[in-house]
Amino acid sequence: MNRLIPLINQIRQCRDCEPELPLGARPIVRGAPNAKILIIGQAPGTKVHASGIPWDDASGRRLRQWMGIDDQAFYDESRIAIMPMGFCYPGKGRSGDLPPRPECAPKWHARMLASLPNIQLTLLIGQYAQKYYLKEGFTNLTDTVKHWEDYLPHYFPLPHPSPRNQIWLKQNPWFEEIAIPELQRRIIAC
């Protein structure tokens, strides 16, 4: 029997850093043992914290657009698992949300990955996921994403799809012209 479902339930009950969280603990995670795509993002925002549905915001809409899939396909746990770097909303910082809480990934990621034996492609969204998983990566997010081909077939690094990243997308048109079509091809292949 796969350990994923009990593990997800255990993660959802985690309250380890609740005193540090302005809205309290509400771990957001999902998946099924047969999922082939894993999305590792930063941490849920306030809207996702309120709904309990991962990527249920403007960033999620853009991510689904980049992936070339609709809501139904995106939320099909038998196809796509979602495991953020920080499972709960971390709070507001000066220029956006605070970084993901540092406790989550070391405590839960290895166990969750061991319970997802069929993952073929992992989307690493944003600098926190990329630094954690691509330890020998490039110097910054732009260089890492620019060299996305170096991490295939297992990882596909992406910038965060936040509306706040409009400037980055305008400064890096190659991303939507070259990387996104390849991402969509690989999503279809999974």
Side-chain angles (χ1 to χ4, degrees):
M1 180 181 144
N2 188 282
R3 301 171 307 245
L4 183 63
I5 303 309
L7 177 61
I8 286 177
N9 290 333
Q10 189 179 2
I11 293 169
R12 288 179 177 154
Q13 297 304 312
C14 180
R15 299 295 178 262
D16 288 359
C17 57
E18 189 161 39
E20 309 297 324
L21 301 170
L23 301 180
R26 186 172 192 186
I28 306 294
V29 59
R30 65 188 299 141
N34 52 341
K36 293 184 178 177
I37 299 167
L38 174 62
I39 298 172
I40 303 177
Q42 294 182 173
T46 55
K47 185 172 183 192
V48 170
H49 176 86
S51 73
I53 301 169
W55 297 97
D56 180 29
D57 55 14
S59 296
R61 284 189 294 281
R62 178 176 277 158
L63 177 58
R64 290 186 285 283
Q65 180 185 23
W66 286 352
M67 294 171 73
I69 60 176
D70 61 16
D71 289 2
Q72 184 177 357
F74 185 81
Y75 290 112
D76 179 353
E77 293 183 53
S78 69
R79 186 172 179 205
I80 298 174
I82 299 172
M83 174 180 73
M85 292 301 296
F87 291 88
C88 297
Y89 171 67
K92 196 82 171 148
R94 278 187 259 160
S95 61
D97 292 341
L98 290 172
R101 294 292 310 166
E103 301 90 346
C104 295
K107 181 172 183 171
W108 300 113
H109 278 212
R111 291 171 61 193
M112 189 145 164
L113 289 170
S115 299
L116 290 165
N118 297 308
I119 297 298
Q120 296 175 7
L121 180 65
T122 300
L123 309 185
L124 298 174
I125 300 173
Q127 65 175 327
Y128 301 107
Q130 291 165 17
K131 285 182 182 178
Y132 193 83
Y133 283 94
L134 307 176
K135 293 174 175 54
E136 301 297 320
F138 291 87
T139 57
N140 60 46
L141 180 130
T142 300
D143 284 341
T144 301
V145 174
K146 193 176 283 187
H147 291 93
W148 54 270
E149 292 172 292
D150 294 354
Y151 302 107
L152 294 173
H154 190 67
Y155 295 119
F156 205 117
L158 299 169
H160 197 283
S162 168
R164 292 174 168 256
N165 279 343
Q166 284 299 111
I167 293 171
W168 189 93
L169 292 170
K170 286 181 182 171
Q171 292 173 341
N172 297 282
W174 55 267
F175 174 72
E176 290 185 320
E177 294 166 5
I178 299 167
I180 291 302
E182 180 60 20
L183 172 65
Q184 291 177 357
R185 189 185 74 71
R186 289 180 180 271
I187 296 293
I188 290 168
C190 289

